[in-house]
Amino acid sequence: MGWDGKVMRRALQRFQEDRRQREERLEERREKIFARQPRLREIDRELRATMSRIIATALRRGTDPRPAVELLKAENLSLQKEKRELLEQMGLPEDCLEEKPACPLCGDSGYRNGAVCRCLRQYYAREQQRELSRMLDLRGQSFETFSLDWYSEECDPALGISARENMDWVYRTCRRYAGQFGPESGSLLLTGDPGLGKTFLSAAIAREVSGEGWSVVYDTAGHIFESFEAKKFGREEGEDSDVGRILRCDLLILDDLGTEMTTAFVQSALYQIINGRLLERRATILSTNLRLEELGRRYSPQIASRLEGEYQILPFFGEDIRKLKKEQE
C-alpha cells in the first residue's frame, strides 16, 4: 500500500493527540479517585515502585522480566487485595486506575508486526477523505445518490443501446471496481461529453476506495501538469512533492484531461504518468471529454495505444445533466 506522506503525518498528529487526551482523562480520573481515598495513592506508589525495582534488576541481569512481574504480583497480594476492597467500597471497578489502550492489537502505538495497525489506518482513511473533500463533493456524490433517471430510455440507433442502459452498465462497473479495489484492479478511461456524470462517479470511487485506507490522489489535468513543470524547474522536490504523490499513490484520478494547453512537455508528462503507473501496476482513472481517436491526435499514438490496450474504456453519452437540472429549477 502506498501511503501518502502528507496525509499520514496529519493522521499521526490526530492519532497522537487523541492518545494524549485519553492519557489526560485517565490522570484526571485517577486524581479524583485519590482525592476521595488517599490510601489508594499510597498503594499505587508502592506497587509502582516495587515493579520498577524488580524489572530494572531483571533487565540488568539480562533475564526475562516477566517472571519478576509474576513474583511481584505474589509479593504484593495484600496491597492488591486492599486496593480492590477500597475500590469496591467506592463502587468502582478494580481496573479503573489502570491505562487501557483503545486498540488492544497495537497498544495504541499505531504499528503492529512492523506494519501500520488497523486503528491508524482508520485515522489515515479519515484524513484522506478530508484531503479529497477539498476538491470533490464526497457527501453528495456517492454510489447511493447516483440516479439513472437523468438518462434517456430511448435506444440510440447508432449505438444500439439507450443512454440509461449504457449508464447502468457504467455505474455497475464503477461500483464493482471501487468495492473490489486492490493492486490488480487496473485502470479506467471515462470518456464522453461534459455533464454526463464522469466526475460524479470518479468522486464515488474516490470516496469508497479512500474509505478503505488506500491512498487516492484526485486532481485536474491542468494542475497535475503544472506540478510536473514545477518539478522540472526545481521549484518542488522531495518524496512528498505533488509529483511524488501522483506517481506513488494507490489510485490516481486525473480529471478534465484535454482542457489544458497541450505542449510537448504535457505530452511527455502524460506518457510518464500513464506508462510509469502501468509498469508499477498502480491504478489510474482518466476522465476526459475527448474520444480515444481525439486523444491519439492530441497527445500521441503511443498514448492512445496504451489506453486502448491497458485501460477499460467506459463511454458516457446522453443529455447534459447540468442543463436538465437547470431547466427543472
Side-chain angles (χ1 to χ4, degrees):
M1 184 172 287
W3 304 107
D4 186 318
K6 290 182 179 179
V7 176
M8 181 57 83
R9 278 198 297 274
R10 289 199 294 270
L12 276 169
Q13 287 173 356
R14 291 184 183 271
F15 178 84
Q16 292 165 355
E17 175 63 20
D18 284 353
R19 183 173 62 189
R20 185 186 64 79
Q21 289 179 1
R22 288 194 299 273
E23 291 170 350
E24 289 178 353
R25 287 194 295 270
L26 170 64
E27 193 56 35
E28 289 174 3
R29 185 170 70 248
R30 285 166 55 86
E31 287 301 318
K32 288 179 181 178
I33 294 172
F34 291 154
R36 288 174 59 189
Q37 178 48 267
R39 173 57 182 158
L40 284 170
R41 187 192 298 275
E42 296 173 4
I43 294 173
D44 187 71
R45 285 175 176 169
E46 289 182 48
L47 289 172
R48 289 175 181 270
T50 308
M51 179 177 286
S52 298
R53 186 172 63 254
I54 292 179
I55 292 177
T57 301
L59 291 175
R60 279 199 303 272
R61 293 174 179 173
T63 58
D64 188 346
R66 284 176 292 186
V69 173
E70 293 303 317
L71 177 62
L72 168 68
K73 290 180 180 179
E75 290 182 352
N76 290 311
L77 284 177
S78 60
L79 286 174
Q80 293 168 18
K81 180 181 178 182
E82 183 183 359
K83 176 181 175 182
R84 285 194 301 271
E85 289 174 349
L86 289 172
L87 289 172
E88 185 177 354
Q89 292 171 13
M90 298 170 70
L92 298 172
E94 62 178 83
D95 62 349
C96 65
L97 294 172
E98 309 303 324
E99 183 178 358
K100 290 174 282 189
C103 179
L105 297 177
C106 69
D108 289 350
S109 69
Y111 296 88
R112 183 173 179 238
N113 298 327
V116 176
C117 183
R118 180 178 61 192
C119 61
L120 182 53
R121 284 185 62 175
Q122 292 172 346
Y123 278 81
Y124 180 90
R126 289 195 290 272
E127 287 304 312
Q128 178 78 86
Q129 295 205 329
R130 286 192 182 96
E131 177 80 11
L132 292 169
S133 293
R134 297 177 183 179
M135 298 190 69
L136 293 169
D137 177 15
L138 295 186
R139 288 181 178 271
Q141 296 176 324
S142 68
F143 289 118
E144 289 73 21
T145 58
F146 183 83
S147 175
L148 292 170
D149 294 343
W150 299 102
Y151 301 90
S152 172
E153 293 182 284
E154 293 184 15
C155 182
D156 186 315
L159 300 171
I161 190 175
S162 71
R164 183 171 298 188
E165 289 174 312
N166 177 69
M167 281 310 301
D168 180 54
W169 171 75
V170 169
Y171 166 81
R172 286 185 285 106
T173 300
C174 289
R175 186 154 201 172
R176 184 169 58 250
Y177 180 89
Q180 300 175 356
F181 186 82
E184 303 299 321
S185 291
S187 298
L188 305 177
L189 174 63
L190 281 51
T191 174
D193 293 335
L196 295 177
K198 297 188 298 296
T199 298
F200 191 112
L201 287 177
S202 294
I205 293 172
R207 182 176 188 265
E208 190 158 329
V209 172
S210 63
E212 291 298 316
W214 300 96
S215 60
V216 180
V217 170
Y218 170 93
D219 213 336
T220 61
H223 189 264
I224 283 177
F225 295 136
E226 285 176 6
S227 298
F228 273 77
E229 188 175 14
K231 183 176 185 297
K232 175 184 177 183
F233 291 103
R235 298 194 296 271
E236 190 180 78
E237 296 181 357
E239 290 187 359
D240 290 341
S241 67
D242 285 344
V243 170
R245 296 172 66 226
I246 290 164
L247 295 178
R248 293 195 316 275
C249 64
D250 297 314
L251 174 61
L252 169 66
I253 302 177
L254 190 156
D255 199 10
D256 284 337
L257 179 63
T259 58
E260 78 292 337
M261 182 179 293
T262 306
T263 63
F265 177 81
V266 165
Q267 292 172 333
S268 174
L270 179 60
Y271 184 79
Q272 180 183 348
I273 292 170
I274 293 173
N275 195 56
R277 291 184 62 82
L278 283 173
L279 290 175
E280 294 185 8
R281 306 181 74 82
R282 298 184 187 274
T284 306
I285 296 176
L286 300 180
S287 176
T288 179
N289 299 335
L290 303 176
R291 291 170 176 78
L292 188 61
E293 58 272 17
E294 293 174 311
L295 290 170
R297 291 195 297 270
R298 188 180 182 99
Y299 299 102
S300 72
Q302 290 87 350
I303 287 177
S305 175
R306 298 293 274 169
L307 295 177
E308 187 173 18
E310 303 289 347
Y311 279 55
Q312 182 175 10
I313 301 174
L314 303 182
F316 288 62
F317 65 89
E319 295 185 67
D320 190 325
I321 296 173
R322 298 190 193 98
K323 291 181 180 179
L324 293 175
K325 289 182 176 180
K326 191 172 182 180
E327 290 172 0
Q328 290 190 6
E329 291 178 355

